[in-house]
Amino acid sequence: MTDFLTRARALLGDAHVLTEGLDAWAADWRGKFIGAPLAVLRPADTGEVAALVRLCAAHRVSIVPQGGNTGMCGGATPDDSGRQVVLSLGRLNRIRHVDLLNNTMTADAGCILQTLQDVAAGHDRLFPLSLGAQGSCQIGGNIATNAGGVQVLRYGNTRDLVMGLEVVLPDGQVLDLLRGLRKDNTGYDLRQLFIGSEGTLGIITAAVLKLFPRPHANVVALAATTSPQHAIELLALMRSRLGDRFTAFELISDACVAMVRQYFPQTPSFLAGEHPWSVLMQASDGGEQQALEAAFQSALESALETGLIEDVAIATSENQAAGVWALRETIPEAQQHDGANIKHDIAVPVSGIPAFIDEVVPLLHAAYDGVRPVIFGHCGDGNLHFNVSRPPGWSTADWQEETDRINDIVLDAVARYQGSFSAEHGLGQLRRNAMLRYKAPLEREVMRKIKQALDPESLMNPGKVIYG
Ligand code: FAD
Ligand code: 2HG
Ligand code: ZN
């Protein structure tokens, strides 16, 4: 390994081959997975990534690509063998090109998501991918996980926003798919293989991203509702009244609001009293603010009249709108403060959400007295974060021991609803058991063949995604 490190230093310079003080790269955001990397390599451009990949292949050193390290499944965390390197993409942070007439932006993989949003806004365009970690996650990581977030209802997942890609393959060749084309039926769409591949097929070094007209009118509201059934009926009503202008619909259970208040007591109350469920809604368009507000308010009046909602607060300033979003986006951090929670990032058909919740919550209570389901998320996409926090009196360590049993309760139910056991976070190393239990053997077999074809030596993020 000394020879490997010497050559890596020759390629990148001493300052960018780190072998000490690696804690920040060795553990995931949740602190659930902790590895022991041989080194952290910090290339500056695609050429350096390609040279490093060739060096790793020659020395049979496996590579764990890492972006902002905000992933929820331990995908960017190395194992504890001390033989894997973390390849950190943070120095690949150039915006290569903005094409306003084509509505595209070409950016290096290490660009921070929020920077891309800001650059797009500076050109009076919208890059709609939006998630709580946007201040630190990178577009390469977003693409590698096919991230979802809070605007999927209107704009789709990351997959829908990527028009072209540049990828360093496991043998060090650079696959240039950096095309800004909306139509291109010239064989298999290779981009799609790498989107959501979690670093197991190659290293994404740049992407062509779709831009949209920037909305100038924006309405954000928080409504109280009595049940998930009313919530999904409200979703249908709002969509029928606002159409494509309706961009976000996030369900928040009372346990989430209480937890955010407990750990972030400065969080304002937007609604009087306590409610079992709240819904954060957003609409935006390029027209007049007043017209959008009028349409939004009229829909809400119908919802109040028909009893779908009990109360509603419409943000009256950008500041207040940001505050309402902060209540929602702070839930994961509040859960971190609260100690271990067993996470589920599930999807079922939107119409199945109420029955799913009604079925699973009693199953959890029957299994564990005082268990605290912390349910929230992208209800408009059928995607819920169905996290299970420990009952009072349980230690974090004891609760972690229950992970398999709780996963079985929640994820067996997901399977009964023909749902997904990982809707937006991916698999990483967290979902190994679920992959083996719920993914059809033939689907796994086809995935294995693709992996074998592209990465026969299994150098790219081994131990993630492909199991069994
Ligand atoms: P990392 O965590 O660094 O890596 C994730 C995976 O991608 C790993 O397998 C890694 O090996 C691989 N990878 C990273 N960069 C590259 C690259 N350039 N080439 C190849 N492989 C690469 N996710 C959602 O989908 N929706 C949400 O709403 C959401 N909200 C979040 C809120 C919070 C507070 C936090 C902490 C996380 C949230 N996430 C969410 C999860 C996470 O932010 C996303 O998965 C994000 O896309 C990860 O980006 P990253 O740059 O941090 O990737
Ligand atoms: C979100 O939607 C993220 O806030 C994180 O996907 C979900 O913490 C979680 O479980
Ligand atoms: Zn989410």
Side-chain angles (χ1 to χ4, degrees), residues 171-400:
D171 62 3
Q173 292 189 80
V174 179
L175 182 64
D176 183 351
L177 308 170
L178 276 183
R179 294 185 276 264
L181 300 176
R182 285 175 174 77
K183 289 189 163 180
D184 179 20
N185 284 349
T186 53
Y188 302 145
D189 187 348
L190 298 177
R191 271 176 316 174
Q192 304 300 348
L193 266 185
F194 299 97
I195 302 172
S197 65
E198 299 182 52
T200 60
L201 298 179
I203 297 176
I204 296 159
T205 46
V208 183
L209 305 165
K210 238 183 236 179
L211 300 178
F212 293 80
R214 191 163 78 89
H216 294 277
N218 191 27
V219 183
V220 173
L222 190 70
T225 185
T226 49
S227 68
Q229 180 61 36
H230 280 169
I232 64 164
E233 288 174 23
L234 173 66
L235 169 67
L237 171 78
M238 298 304 285
R239 292 192 89 179
S240 74
R241 296 284 278 273
L242 293 163
D244 256 4
R245 293 177 291 175
F246 197 55
T247 64
F249 190 84
E250 297 282 313
L251 186 67
I252 305 170
S253 65
D254 54 356
C256 302
V257 177
M259 205 176 266
V260 169
R261 291 257 154 71
Q262 183 180 348
Y263 296 102
F264 299 94
Q266 74 284 11
T267 306
S269 293
F270 298 98
L271 297 166
E274 288 180 10
H275 307 276
W277 299 95
S278 323
V279 176
L280 188 162
M281 294 176 279
Q282 184 182 41
S284 56
D285 71 12
E288 291 297 318
Q289 179 70 20
Q290 268 184 342
L292 183 66
E293 274 174 12
F296 200 96
Q297 261 170 1
S298 146
L300 287 179
E301 275 157 25
S302 303
L304 279 164
E305 273 162 25
T306 50
L308 291 183
I309 57 176
E310 295 185 311
D311 193 7
V312 62
I314 301 183
T316 53
S317 65
E318 273 184 29
N319 238 355
Q320 224 177 46
V324 175
W325 269 113
L327 165 69
R328 158 63 185 90
E329 301 280 30
T330 314
I331 300 168
E333 226 178 303
Q335 283 214 279
Q336 279 296 104
H337 288 290
D338 191 66
N341 67 91
I342 298 170
K343 282 196 186 296
H344 305 99
D345 162 39
I346 60 108
V348 295
V350 172
S351 51
I353 285 178
F356 177 84
I357 294 175
D358 284 352
E359 185 174 326
V360 179
V361 169
L363 290 176
L364 289 169
H365 283 297
Y368 299 96
D369 226 13
V371 70
R372 294 175 300 147
V374 178
I375 303 169
F376 63 100
H378 321 293
C379 179
D381 316 325
N383 174 195
L384 292 181
H385 299 304
F386 208 100
N387 298 339
V388 187
S389 286
R390 65 195 199 286
W394 281 67
S395 74
T396 286
D398 285 346
W399 191 235
Q400 290 297 0

Side-chain angles (χ1 to χ4, degrees), residues 29 64-72 74-77 89 109-110 130-134 136-150 197-200 202-205 328-329 332-333 378 383 385 424-425 428 460-461 464:
W29 184 83
V64 181
Q66 193 175 99
N69 201 16
T70 66
M72 288 282 176
T77 312
L89 278 301
S130 175
L131 45 135
Q134 64 198 23
S136 46
C137 64
Q138 298 174 5
I139 191 65
N142 301 144
I143 296 170
T145 55
N146 185 27
V150 294
S197 65
E198 299 182 52
T200 60
I203 297 176
I204 296 159
T205 46
R328 158 63 185 90
E329 301 280 30
E333 226 178 303
H378 321 293
N383 174 195
H385 299 304
E424 62 169 5
H425 293 163
M460 299 300 308
N461 219 357
K464 319 282 169 58

